[in-house]
Amino acid sequence: MDLRFHDTPPTDAEREAVDAFLGEPPDGWTGGPREARDAHTAAGGQDARDQRHLLLPVLHAVQERVGWISPGALNHICRRLTVPPADAWGVATFYALFPTTERPPRVVHVCDDIACRDRGGEALCAALEKEVGPAGAVIPDANATWMRSPCLGLCDHSPAAFLTQAGTEPLERLAGPITTGDVVSMVHHGPDAPLPERVPIPQAGDPTLRLLRRVDVADPTNLDEYRAHGGYAPLRRALTLGPVGVIREVTESKLAGRGGAAFPTGRKWDAVARQPARPHYVVCNADESEPGTFKDRVLMEGDPFAVIEAMTIAAFATGAEQGFIYLRGEYPVARERLHHAIDTARDRGFLGDGILGTDFSFDIEIRKGAGAYICGEETAIFNSIEGYRGEPRNKPPFPVESGLFGCPTLINNVETLVNVLEVLRIGGPAYATIGTRGSTGTRLFCLSGSVTRPGVYEVEHGTTLRDLVTRAGGVADGRPLQAILLGGAAGSFVTPADLDLPLTFEDVRTAGVTLGSGVVMLFDDRADLPATLARIAAFFRDESCGQCVPCRVGTVRQQEVLARLAVGRPHGSVATELVLLDNIARAMKDASICGLGQTAANAVESAITRLGLYRTESAS
């Protein structure tokens, strides 16, 4: 693909998909000012160049209709949006869920990432290769294919698979735990394949729950039931307190961000509210793609109105009129329920113009991601929404000053936002008494791997790792515990000797590890940790956006070293390879633009220093 259009025309189906989403081509520009910050309002006769932000959703429209992005479809999209072909090609090829070579309309993505591998995912993939053929090969009698996939966010029901069916009535299904027979059925029968039912969260109905109290108890599609369980009382209190009062409550709660950085939420909200530039935006980061993380999916599927209410409160406090939920592309149930919640809230006066009879107006739009881990980084989300490659931006300026469309932007993840409802329900000072002095409130942890009862668990900060594992039934099958991955693929390994570690920001910092995205993944004595490390390294190599040299080259070199060590074929001695790994890690940490490169070696380093992996070979 180059700067010029190709001669390939779109098919009728591709043209219909694009025009159905964008509307019929306008006769011409109707005049008036055009500013990038107003791009989200582009519609009707407004100049096409102000619709660049529609590139990602229109690519989804074509993908859902025909199953791949052809040169003809891309030509038509580029002409409609006046985007250079090379530019659009760069965006389309950035995302894993947008194939640019022809693919069957039905695809089954089978997870082979670390949690699913530990629960038989690799053996399942090997069985599929024998039964239906290699990954990526077309299965003629089914007009389908299957592919290996990174983490699908269903680690509590691993091994997992994600079915996509393109056509006039596209379908997506996320299912687990699945067997080889389930995948074969999905390949041949698509949406008609019987799939396992999800089980409720382990703590469903526990009266002490705060964030999870409605999940698997109340009907997530029923607004009246949501209100009967306390829903929208926090918004009414916020409207009474006023923006300054809301921010004061959040600040007094000492709520810290739950996305990994643990930045004080009240300080961030106040910084956005004080910005004189307009408009302001609120973005909910719902693109959790960290291997082992699934807490936000559980909240969005089980309590979608809570996400909408929390965003509305955030908008009221910071002076925003427009919000975006950047949602992971592999979460079809969450997307359906959030869409329903938005439409229902708007119909009932909780969203849109004049909320609850006031002069406050706010609305929300969902933007579907397309399979890019890097888009969990806050500035990469902005680029993706605006219709560019999801590459992180240099900071400063920070999002509170210049974020989405160059405007002041508040961005929080799902768990952080839902915590605000509890802050307003009981008051900031009362919230600050929960947990510890330095880590207030409750925290959601994602337990997976070799654990008896995997799932999302809500506990107060200060709960020990041992107590959390015990609540989940301990190690599955009573096996000895070998290691725990804390914080996700970008987190750190700890040993059974660390089980009495209190789960607080201050305690894990002192211990030299991190809570990260709340991952607690157990590995018993049967786990192949070298293979797990090699898979983590391969994940970061694949997910690096390639923008900066330290990460682009470092993740490749790290993966190569670990692949050699995993098969026992080091270049030179093991000690030489470990020195090389250390040098690579230092370079990535010191010079990478964003957190992906800066944390890509964390798990590797901890496995070597804490677990002693490869140290025996090095000494010998």
Side-chain angles (χ1 to χ4, degrees):
M1 183 64 68
D2 59 26
L3 292 173
R4 298 167 296 175
F5 289 103
H6 285 213
D7 295 331
T8 309
T11 65
D12 290 342
E14 291 166 342
R15 186 184 300 276
E16 289 170 5
V18 173
D19 294 346
F21 182 83
L22 296 177
E24 290 301 316
D27 295 332
W29 176 52
T30 59
R34 298 190 296 252
E35 297 183 51
R37 67 187 185 188
D38 297 323
H40 71 272
T41 64
Q46 189 169 351
D47 190 275
R49 282 171 289 182
D50 274 348
Q51 300 188 69
R52 171 67 185 252
H53 72 111
L54 296 177
L55 180 54
L56 185 61
V58 79
L59 286 170
H60 271 298
V62 173
Q63 169 69 22
E64 291 169 2
R65 181 63 185 275
V66 299
W68 69 295
I69 311 298
S70 74
L74 207 60
N75 273 349
H76 188 53
I77 291 171
C78 291
R79 286 193 170 95
R80 288 298 314 272
L81 298 181
T82 64
V83 175
D87 207 359
W89 174 260
V91 172
T93 54
F94 185 83
Y95 298 97
L97 293 181
F98 291 149
T100 51
T101 55
E102 188 167 3
R103 183 182 290 176
R106 183 183 302 154
V107 181
V108 182
H109 305 262
V110 180
C111 180
D112 70 345
D113 221 314
I114 49 179
C116 285
R117 287 174 66 95
D118 190 65
R119 305 289 281 194
E122 187 61 28
L124 188 152
C125 288
L128 283 173
E129 290 182 352
K130 292 181 179 179
E131 187 145 349
V132 298
V138 177
I139 303 164
D141 59 337
N143 197 18
T145 188
W146 74 278
M147 306 185 70
R148 289 174 175 261
S149 170
C151 182
L152 292 169
L154 202 65
C155 314
D156 50 340
H157 294 80
S158 58
F162 177 52
L163 166 68
T164 61
Q165 175 80 55
T168 55
E169 296 183 3
L171 175 137
E172 296 177 341
R173 294 179 70 178
L174 185 60
I178 47 97
T179 64
T180 304
D182 290 329
V183 178
V184 172
S185 182
M186 293 165 77
V187 165
H188 287 282
H189 304 293
D192 298 323
L195 297 176
E197 295 290 330
R198 306 263 187 95
V199 298
I201 60 171
Q203 294 172 298
D206 185 336
T208 66
L209 295 178
R210 298 176 184 274
L211 307 183
L212 297 176
R213 68 180 183 275
R214 284 181 290 261
V215 176
D216 291 328
V217 173
D219 179 357
T221 66
N222 190 317
L223 177 57
D224 291 328
E225 198 165 330
Y226 174 70
R227 295 178 64 191
H229 285 80
Y232 279 109
L235 175 59
R236 292 185 184 277
R237 181 160 188 259
L239 295 174
T240 301
L241 289 171
V244 174
V246 172
I247 292 175
R248 181 180 63 249
E249 292 285 349
V250 175
T251 302
E252 290 178 350
S253 74
K254 299 181 182 179
L255 172 64
R258 303 301 201 237
F263 191 84
T265 305
R267 190 189 306 174
K268 182 185 286 190
W269 285 31
D270 184 60
V272 175
R274 291 178 180 274
Q275 296 300 317
R278 288 293 187 272
H280 292 182
Y281 291 97
V282 170
V283 175
C284 173
N285 182 350
D287 190 58
E288 61 171 2
S289 302
E290 180 82 23
T293 312
F294 46 90
K295 58 186 174 61
D296 288 350
R297 172 185 58 77
V298 169
L299 283 172
M300 291 184 290
E301 291 180 349
D303 203 6
F305 286 107
V307 181
I308 305 308
E309 182 183 6
M311 288 184 68
T312 307
I313 292 170
F316 176 71
T318 59
E321 294 184 2
Q322 178 67 34
F324 290 87
I325 300 176
Y326 190 89
L327 178 64
R328 180 170 185 179
E330 296 93 338
Y331 284 178
V333 174
R335 184 169 66 255
E336 177 184 340
R337 291 183 178 172
L338 286 169
H339 270 300
H340 172 79
I342 290 170
D343 292 342
T344 305
R346 191 184 295 120
D347 291 342
R348 299 279 291 272
F350 294 101
L351 201 61
D353 296 330
I355 293 174
L356 293 179
T358 68
D359 59 359
F360 167 51
S361 298
F362 175 69
D363 216 332
I364 297 172
E365 183 178 338
I366 296 176
R367 285 299 170 91
K368 179 182 173 183
Y373 169 74
I374 191 61
C375 285
E377 198 278 337
E378 57 186 11
T379 61
I381 286 180
F382 302 151
N383 278 338
S384 185
I385 291 175
E386 292 175 21
Y388 298 92
R389 291 167 62 88
E391 296 174 339
R393 303 173 182 175
N394 286 316
K395 292 181 283 191
F398 293 97
V400 296
E401 300 170 344
S402 178
L404 186 62
F405 302 117
C407 296
T409 303
L410 172 68
I411 180 166
N412 286 128
N413 76 342
V414 173
E415 184 186 353
T416 305
L417 287 166
V418 173
N419 263 281
V420 172
L421 302 181
E422 185 67 9
V423 170
L424 290 182
R425 187 178 76 88
I426 65 176
Y431 183 95
T433 65
I434 303 168
T436 67
R437 185 180 182 86
S439 303
T440 64
T442 60
R443 184 69 189 262
L444 300 182
F445 288 98
C446 310
L447 273 79
S448 64
S450 302
V451 63
T452 301
R453 291 189 297 274
V456 174
Y457 288 81
E458 180 180 358
V459 296
E460 289 189 14
H461 276 118
T463 301
T464 65
L465 186 55
R466 183 186 304 277
D467 182 55
L468 183 61
V469 171
T470 301
R471 290 182 188 221
V475 183
D477 303 323
R479 304 288 304 192
L481 179 64
Q482 182 178 181
I484 299 175
L485 180 59
L486 191 62
S492 302
F493 283 97
V494 297
T495 72
D498 298 304
L499 281 170
D500 291 317
L501 175 68
L503 297 173
T504 68
F505 296 120
E506 57 271 25
D507 285 296
V508 299
R509 191 179 303 117
T510 300
V513 294
T514 178
L515 296 180
S517 56
V519 172
V520 178
M521 191 180 299
L522 276 61
F523 296 88
D524 65 24
D525 60 324
R526 297 169 295 186
D528 185 346
L529 289 185
T532 298
L533 274 192
R535 182 64 184 89
I536 291 174
F539 172 83
F540 282 115
R541 173 179 179 165
D542 291 341
E543 297 297 337
S544 172
C545 75
Q547 181 179 197
C548 67
V549 172
C551 181
R552 181 175 71 241
V553 176
T555 53
V556 173
R557 296 293 172 256
Q558 176 177 257
Q559 190 267 337
E560 290 172 346
V561 172
L562 288 168
R564 293 195 296 266
L565 290 174
V567 297
R569 296 178 183 174
H571 282 177
S573 66
V574 171
T576 301
E577 295 281 45
L578 295 184
V579 170
L580 177 57
L581 279 176
D582 183 63
N583 290 337
I584 291 169
R586 289 174 184 271
M588 288 195 292
K589 284 183 180 179
D590 291 344
S592 295
I593 287 176
C594 80
L596 188 151
Q598 294 162 12
T599 61
N602 282 0
V604 176
E605 285 187 313
S606 64
I608 294 170
T609 59
R610 289 176 172 274
L611 306 183
L613 204 64
Y614 300 121
R615 287 297 185 189
T616 303
E617 294 93 329
S618 176
S620 61

